[in-house]
Amino acid sequence: HYPLIPRSLFGKYPKLVRTMYMDYVKDDEQGAARSRIRFLYRPVEGIAEHSYGLNVAELAGIQPEILVQAEQEARTLQERVETLHGRLPAIL
C-alpha cells in the first residue's frame, strides 16, 4: 500500500516530485514476526521497499498486542492492493 503513493506521484510529476526515505539496515531474525530495522538517520533518494510504520511504532513503545492487530490489518490491506494492482515491480 505505501509504495503506491510515491510511485504514483513520481510517475505523474517526475520533474516536481523527489522521492526519498530514511536509510536503514534490516536485521532479519529467523522466526521473528517482523524484520528488525535500524534507521541510519541518513536520507536516501528513492522509495523504501516497504512501509516500516510498524517498526517505528515498536520503537515508540506501542503495546505488542496493538502491533499484532495492526500487522494483521496491514497484511489484509496489502493483499487487497495486490489483488487490484498486482505485485509491485522493483523499486525505482
Side-chain angles (χ1 to χ4, degrees), residues 29-50:
E29 295 178 18
Q30 200 163 4
R34 111 181 44 75
S35 297
R36 283 242 185 265
I37 299 296
R38 284 186 293 136
F39 291 100
L40 302 178
Y41 301 96
R42 176 178 58 216
V44 175
E45 202 147 341
I47 301 171
E49 62 186 40
H50 298 287

Side-chain angles (χ1 to χ4, degrees), residues 2-3 6-7 10 19-21 44-50 91-92:
Y2 163 78
R7 286 172 194 265
F10 185 76
T19 57
M20 299 187 81
Y21 64 93
V44 175
E45 202 147 341
I47 301 171
E49 62 186 40
H50 298 287
I91 303 305
L92 296 174

Side-chain angles (χ1 to χ4, degrees), residues 9-24:
L9 290 173
F10 185 76
K12 289 180 183 177
Y13 311 103
K15 294 181 180 177
L16 299 175
V17 173
R18 187 169 163 198
T19 57
M20 299 187 81
Y21 64 93
M22 188 63 64
D23 203 6
Y24 59 90

Side-chain angles (χ1 to χ4, degrees), residues 22 28 48 71 73:
M22 188 63 64
D28 288 326
E71 194 161 32
E73 293 293 329

Side-chain angles (χ1 to χ4, degrees), residues 51-68:
S51 170
Y52 292 109
L54 291 173
N55 299 86
V56 172
E58 184 176 31
L59 287 170
I62 300 297
Q63 296 172 352
E65 55 273 10
I66 294 172
L67 293 173
V68 168

Side-chain angles (χ1 to χ4, degrees), residues 78-92:
Q78 185 65 36
E79 289 169 5
R80 281 183 174 164
V81 167
E82 289 178 5
T83 299
L84 292 171
H85 300 281
R87 189 123 177 102
L88 292 173
I91 303 305
L92 296 174

